[in-house]
Amino acid sequence: MTVFRGLILIAAAALAACSPNAPTAQFHSEDNPRLLSEWGQLGIVAGDLQLADGVVPYDLNTPLFTDYALKLRTIWMPSGETAAYRENDTLDFPVGTVITKTFYYPLADTPGQVTRGDGHSLTRADGSLDLSRVQLIETRILVHREAGWEALPYRWNDDQTEAVLLRYGDVVPMTVAEADGGASTFNYVMPDVNQCASCHAPDSNTRQIAPIGPKPRHLNRDFDYPDGTANQLEYLTEVGYLTGAPVPADAPRNADWEDLEASLEARARAYLDANCSHCHSPVGPADTSGLNLQPDIAHGPALGICKLPIAAGSGTGDRRFDIFPGRPDESILLFRLDNVEPDQMMPEVGRSTNHVEGIELIRAWIESLPGDCG
Amino acid sequence: MKTFKYLMIGASALVLTACGNSDTSRDLAEANVDYQATLMEQLIDAQPGDVIEIPAGVYSFDRSLSLNIDGVTIRGAGMDETILSFQDQIAGAEGLIVTANDFTLENLAIEDTIGDGLKVNGGENIIIRGVRVEWTNGYATENGAYGIYPVQTTNVLVEDTVAIGASDAGIYVGQSRNVIVRNSRAEYNVAGIEIENCIGADVYGNTATNNTGGILVFNMPNLPQPGYHTRVYDNDIFANNTENFGHAGTPVASVPAGSGVVINSNDQVEIFNNRISDNDTANIIISSLHSTGYSDYSVQTDFDPYPESIWIHDNTYSGGGTSPDGLDLTALKIAMFGLNGALPDVLFDGFVDDAKLVDGALPDALRICVSDPVDVLNADGPNGYASPSVDTEDFRCSLDSLSAVELAFAD
C-alpha cells in the first residue's frame, strides 16, 4: 500500500517544509555517527524534538519499566522497504531499518528536578516533544545492517541540542520532586554497548542483537496519529512498513498492564512478558535459571510456581520459592522486583528504582493464585 | 537431608550477623578510577584475537564490565598484581560478565563485587587461569554469590585459580560440558568447588578448605540439562567447617557445615585418590533431592533425584565426623557413636529409586560403591530417618572407572 505511504509522506513533507532545520532520516550502513543528528531520525526544531518524514512513532501495550522514564519510540525504513509480519516474534525488519527510543522525564517546577513519568507519553500525535517540559536523557538507536542489528546509545547534552554517542554508558544523577514537596535522588544508569546485548540478545545461542518491543502482541493497540486514531499494525501496514499482518482481531495482543478492564492474570502476565521474558525464555540468557516468563507458559514450576531457586544467591531474599501462590511475601519473584540491590534485583540492568505500581500488580496476582507449595 | 535442612535454617539465622572473619576490606584510597572508561572501551572495541593487557595496579570500577566478542584474551600481571576492585560498584549483577566463545581470562584478581565475580554465560573454549576472586572483608552473607561462574559453557578449563568468601560457591561450573577444574584453591566459601548439572567434569589437584562444604557435585531440577560423569581426584579436602553463611532459600544453605565432598542427585561420579580429613560432619555425603526439602510441586516430572553409579575408592581419610552441624545430627552421633565418637566417613541419606530395583537391589552399574576401608552410615531417609544404620557391607563394590575429560587446550 505504498500509495497511502506516499500520500502520508507527502503530507508530512509539506509540514516539515515550514521548518528550516527539519531532520532527514538516514541509514548509516557502516560508520557509527558521533552525533545523533547525523541519523536525522529526530531533530531539534523551534524548541521541539521533531521526527523526520517517514519516522513513525509507536507505543507498546505494556512497556518495559525504566526508572519512570518516558519513552518516545520510532521506526523508520528506507524508501520501498517493508517488514514482514511474524506472529510471536519481533517483526522481520529489513536491512536499513532504524529504530529509536528516546528516554526523557517531565520537568518539575523546581529547576533541576524531574517528576516520575506516569506512563502517559508527553509526545504529541506527530511524535514531537516540547523541550521546555522535559529533560532528555538518552536516545538508543537500533540499526539493522547487513551483518545484523547494532545498538548505539546517545547521551543528550544539558542544553538538549544534541546527543553524542557514548558507547561505554554513563551514570546520570537524577533528582525527583516528590508530592510532599521534598525530593529524592537516584542514579540513572545508561548501559554500555555490550550491556545492550544483555537484553537485546534474546537468543543466547546466536547472541544476535534484535529489537524486543515491536512484536505483534505489544504493537496491537491504537495510537493517536496526526491523521487520526488507528491500530498500529494497520497503520504500519497502511504506510507500507508492514506486510502480512492479519486484521488486529486475529493478531495476538498483550493486555495493557494498567487497563483495569483486563483480567489480573492478563495484566500480570503482560507485565512479566515485557519486563522479563526477553531473558527468561527457553533460549534466553536467563534460561540458566529454568524460569520461563513468556506469556503462553502454563502455570507450573517453569513459570516459577513453587519453583526453587538455582543460582539466585542473595536474590532469594531468604525465600524458598519463585512464586508461592497466595503468598507474595514468600515469593522470590516479588523480592527481586521490589529491590534495587544490584545482586538481588531483577531485571539485572535497566533500573535503579522500584516500580511501585508494577510491584503492586504482581503482588495482587500472586495473592490471587490458588494452590500451595507444601 | 531433611534433618540437616531444618537444623541449618535455625543455625544460619543465628550466625548471620556474626559472619565475617576480617575487619577491613581492601583500601582503595590509591586506586585508579580513570581506567574504567579505558577498559570498557577496549571491551566494546575488541576484535577476535585481541589480547587486552591490564598492567599491575589496583583499579576501581563502579559498574559491571561485559564482553561479548569471541576470541578475546584479558590478561593481567598476576593475581596479586592486577586487582580489579568492585568495592564501589553501584550497578550490575557481576564484576565481569562474558558471553562469547574462545575466551581467556588470566593473571588478575576480581575483588568485592556486589554480585558474582566472573560470570561466563554460554560459549565454547573458556579458559580461566591464574585468576583470584575474593571478598576481602572475609566470609559474609552479604558477599556476592559466585566467584568463578561459567554456566552453559562447553570446553572449560579453570586452573590455578583462587576463590575466597563467596556466599554461595567459590568456583561453580553449571550446566556445562567438558569441564576441567584443577590446581585451584577454594577457601571460606559456602561451597568451595561446585559442579552442577554438568556433563563430563574432572576436578583434580585442588585444595578445598575452610568452606562450609568442600567439593559439591549436584544436580538441580527444572534446568535444561541434567548432569552426569564427574571425576573428583587428587584433591586436598580438609577442615571445611566454616558455618553456613549462605542465604536461606539457596540450595547450598542446606549443606551442613563440616562437609568434605557432597554428591546430590548426580550420577556417574567417581571420587578417588583424594586426601579428605577433619570435616566435622562427614568427609563424604551422598544424598538425593528428597532429603533437601524439595517438594513434588517444585520438580519437573522427569527429574531423577537419585544419586546412582557412584564409586568412592583409594582416598585417604583422617578425622572428621566428630562435631556434626545441627542438633539432629549431633543427637544421632551421640546415640550411635557416643559422646566422643564420630559419624562415619561416608553418609548416605538412603533414598533409592524403587522403580529401578531388580530382585530388591539396584543393578550393579547403578550402585553406590565405597571401596575404601571406611564405614558408611545409611540415614534411613525414606523412613523418616527412624532407623539409621552402619551398612558398610552393602556398599562394598566397585564400578568401571570413568573416562577422563579430554580438553585440547588443557594438556
Side-chain angles (χ1 to χ4, degrees), chain A residues 76-203:
Chain A
W76 174 84
M77 288 168 222
S79 180
E81 297 291 340
T82 187
Y85 180 83
R86 291 193 292 201
E87 183 167 87
N88 289 313
D89 201 350
T90 299
L91 303 179
D92 189 7
F93 290 104
V95 169
T97 301
V98 179
I99 294 177
T100 78
K101 186 156 66 165
T102 299
F103 295 70
Y104 64 94
Y105 287 91
L107 287 176
D109 294 337
T110 308
Q113 297 186 1
V114 299
T115 61
R116 292 186 183 87
D118 62 0
H120 300 288
S121 171
L122 294 178
T123 51
R124 304 185 186 100
D126 62 358
S128 70
L129 196 52
D130 179 353
L131 293 180
S132 69
R133 298 181 60 200
V134 302
Q135 179 180 343
L136 302 175
I137 306 292
E138 58 166 328
T139 295
R140 300 179 191 167
I141 296 256
L142 271 174
V143 53
H144 195 190
R145 291 170 164 157
E146 287 291 347
W149 290 90
E150 284 190 61
L152 300 169
Y154 288 83
R155 170 87 169 94
W156 282 92
N157 61 15
D158 291 343
D159 295 339
Q160 312 204 115
T161 55
E162 182 63 273
V164 179
L165 181 61
L166 200 54
R167 294 182 309 145
Y168 49 92
D170 202 2
V171 176
V172 186
M174 303 293 298
T175 304
V176 181
E178 298 292 353
D180 63 5
S184 60
T185 60
F186 74 93
N187 285 315
Y188 179 101
V189 179
M190 178 178 165
D192 71 46
V193 163
N194 285 354
Q195 282 173 329
C196 292
S198 69
C199 290
H200 279 281
D203 185 333

Side-chain angles (χ1 to χ4, degrees), chain A residues 167 194 287-288 308 316 318 320, chain B residues 45 66 152 175 248 293 298:
Chain A
R167 294 182 309 145
N194 285 354
D287 69 343
T288 54
L308 285 102
T316 65
D318 296 350
R320 289 179 64 206
Chain B
D45 289 335
S66 58
Q152 291 186 354
Q175 302 175 51
S298 320

Side-chain angles (χ1 to χ4, degrees), chain B residues 331-344:
Chain B
L332 174 68
K333 189 209 80 165
I334 293 170
M336 291 188 73
F337 307 99
L339 203 55
N340 297 316
L343 292 177

Side-chain angles (χ1 to χ4, degrees), chain B residues 26 57-58 78-86 105-113 117-118 128-137 147-148 158-165 170-171 184-185 187:
Chain B
R26 176 177 294 281
V58 178
M79 70 163 70
D80 295 316
E81 280 75 39
T82 297
I83 316 283
L84 314 186
S85 173
F86 293 83
L105 180 73
E106 55 191 10
N107 303 337
L108 53 73
I110 294 173
E111 291 183 349
D112 298 326
T113 51
L118 165 69
I128 300 161
R129 174 188 290 136
V131 170
R132 176 172 56 85
V133 176
E134 180 169 3
W135 283 267
T136 63
N137 54 301
I148 294 166
V158 177
E159 65 177 352
D160 304 323
T161 67
V162 174
I164 299 173
I171 299 168
S184 292
R185 182 177 185 87
E187 210 169 344

Side-chain angles (χ1 to χ4, degrees), chain A residues 23 40-43 49-53 55-57 72-74 126-128:
Chain A
Q41 306 282 329
L42 320 160
L49 182 72
Q50 291 195 357
L51 306 187
D53 296 348
V55 174
V56 176
L72 165 59
R73 302 176 178 81
T74 70
D126 62 358
S128 70

Side-chain angles (χ1 to χ4, degrees), chain A residues 101-367:
Chain A
K101 186 156 66 165
T102 299
F103 295 70
Y104 64 94
Y105 287 91
L107 287 176
D109 294 337
T110 308
Q113 297 186 1
V114 299
T115 61
R116 292 186 183 87
D118 62 0
H120 300 288
S121 171
L122 294 178
T123 51
R124 304 185 186 100
D126 62 358
S128 70
L129 196 52
D130 179 353
L131 293 180
S132 69
R133 298 181 60 200
V134 302
Q135 179 180 343
L136 302 175
I137 306 292
E138 58 166 328
T139 295
R140 300 179 191 167
I141 296 256
L142 271 174
V143 53
H144 195 190
R145 291 170 164 157
E146 287 291 347
W149 290 90
E150 284 190 61
L152 300 169
Y154 288 83
R155 170 87 169 94
W156 282 92
N157 61 15
D158 291 343
D159 295 339
Q160 312 204 115
T161 55
E162 182 63 273
V164 179
L165 181 61
L166 200 54
R167 294 182 309 145
Y168 49 92
D170 202 2
V171 176
V172 186
M174 303 293 298
T175 304
V176 181
E178 298 292 353
D180 63 5
S184 60
T185 60
F186 74 93
N187 285 315
Y188 179 101
V189 179
M190 178 178 165
D192 71 46
V193 163
N194 285 354
Q195 282 173 329
C196 292
S198 69
C199 290
H200 279 281
D203 185 333
S204 61
N205 299 309
T206 66
R207 296 201 201 96
Q208 295 296 307
I209 302 257
I212 302 167
K215 297 181 173 78
R217 65 178 183 266
H218 298 308
L219 291 172
N220 190 359
R221 60 174 288 149
D222 285 350
F223 189 93
D224 294 325
Y225 298 99
D227 39 351
T229 300
N231 179 281
Q232 293 186 134
L233 293 174
E234 287 187 324
Y235 186 85
L236 289 170
T237 300
E238 208 170 278
V239 301
Y241 276 176
L242 177 59
T243 54
V247 297
D250 292 340
R253 190 181 79 81
N254 263 10
D256 174 342
W257 73 284
E258 290 182 300
D259 176 10
L260 297 178
E261 307 277 299
S263 72
L264 183 58
E265 169 81 12
R267 293 164 61 213
R269 295 297 294 271
Y271 188 85
L272 295 175
D273 182 22
N275 285 278
C276 318
S277 77
H278 45 274
C279 281
H280 283 286
S281 81
V283 296
D287 69 343
T288 54
S289 67
L291 181 65
N292 184 346
L293 297 175
Q294 292 189 308
D296 54 344
I297 297 305
H299 285 209
L303 181 63
I305 307 223
C306 298
K307 178 186 176 300
L308 285 102
I310 302 298
S314 60
T316 65
D318 296 350
R319 303 173 185 195
R320 289 179 64 206
F321 302 102
D322 283 13
I323 294 173
F324 197 138
R327 303 192 204 176
D329 292 319
E330 295 177 45
S331 299
I332 293 168
L333 185 80
L334 198 71
F335 176 79
R336 304 199 84 169
L337 289 176
D338 190 7
N339 199 314
V340 293
E341 296 300 317
D343 61 329
Q344 298 175 351
M345 69 175 194
M346 283 287 160
E348 288 186 340
V349 297
R351 68 175 182 90
S352 306
T353 59
N354 281 334
H355 188 200
V356 175
E357 299 79 7
I359 292 163
E360 282 173 6
L361 171 66
I362 299 305
R363 168 181 291 280
W365 175 61
I366 294 175
E367 269 171 357

Side-chain angles (χ1 to χ4, degrees), chain B residues 4 15 48 78 101-102 140 154 157 161 188 236 246 249 252 275 300 306 309 330 340 345 348-349 368 384 386 395:
Chain B
F4 297 168
V15 299
N101 299 314
D102 306 308
T154 300
L157 175 62
T161 67
Y188 291 108
D236 289 297
V252 295
R275 295 156 296 279
Q300 71 203 53
Y306 303 97
S309 303
T330 302
N340 297 316
D345 286 295
F348 172 49
D349 70 358
I368 293 171
F395 299 90

Side-chain angles (χ1 to χ4, degrees), chain B residues 156 177-180 199-202 229 231 403-407:
Chain B
V156 189
R177 279 177 184 266
N178 229 33
V179 175
I180 293 178
I199 300 174
D202 277 356
H229 198 126
R231 304 192 311 161
S403 57
V405 169
E406 294 191 13
L407 203 49

